[in-house]
Amino acid sequence: MNDAPDTRERPDYAQYIVCAVMVAVGAFLVYDGLSMPGGYAEVDPVGPRFFPITIGIGLLAMSVVLAIAIPRGYKGEADAGEDIDPDMPSDWRTVGLLVGLFVALIVLVEPLGWVIASALFFAGCATVLGSNHYVRNIAIGTVLALASFYAFYSGLGIPLPAGILDGIL
């Protein structure tokens, strides 16, 4: 009989949650891609279905690979370039403020418009993450908001809500 304790590390079974999410998202993308109507452009040989189906199949395949690797004890290596201290507690205040800003963006984007709501969002995120240059935060947020508004509108043909600036933008 061998009375030596088992020194092998137990697999991290919580990673199966990641597998389940990958399967759910992959299956949704494949289903959505297959149910999407085709024939948008005569000159487009790929069509709009190709990318969701390809990404969905990739997610399904990677979930199988991860599900096989988990019981074998494979773990990803920590990045050597990360300058974080794993022993420090999480900063839940910052996380909560960022989530609050994101919820405010969702609530305000329709009445105020994309430019104003996202400029406030970008400036707020910079401030929450430690920038004390409030005027510069707002200026950079405004530039990012205007650039993204016109990139979507002119570049992609997707109109974002103009809100109270309707007719000015």
Side-chain angles (χ1 to χ4, degrees), residues 109-123:
V109 75
E110 199 61 41
L112 295 181
W114 173 257
V115 173
I116 294 173
S118 63
L120 293 172
F121 173 73
F122 293 140

Side-chain angles (χ1 to χ4, degrees), residues 61-125:
M62 294 309 296
S63 67
V64 169
V65 170
L66 182 59
I68 293 170
I70 292 170
R72 293 181 178 185
Y74 290 110
K75 290 185 179 178
E77 292 183 24
D79 290 336
E82 295 279 339
D83 59 345
I84 60 168
D85 184 5
D87 298 325
M88 292 292 295
S90 299
D91 186 5
W92 291 109
R93 178 185 175 275
T94 301
V95 172
L97 288 171
L98 291 173
V99 168
L101 284 169
F102 188 68
V103 169
L105 173 67
I106 293 169
V107 170
L108 296 176
V109 75
E110 199 61 41
L112 295 181
W114 173 257
V115 173
I116 294 173
S118 63
L120 293 172
F121 173 73
F122 293 140
C125 287

Side-chain angles (χ1 to χ4, degrees), residues 142-155:
T142 303
V143 169
L144 288 172
L146 284 167
S148 61
F149 180 83
Y150 284 113
F152 273 87
Y153 187 74
S154 298

Side-chain angles (χ1 to χ4, degrees), residues 114-142:
W114 173 257
V115 173
I116 294 173
S118 63
L120 293 172
F121 173 73
F122 293 140
C125 287
T127 303
V128 166
L129 293 173
S131 174
N132 293 324
H133 305 280
Y134 306 116
V135 174
R136 184 173 65 189
N137 293 350
I138 292 172
I140 292 172
T142 303

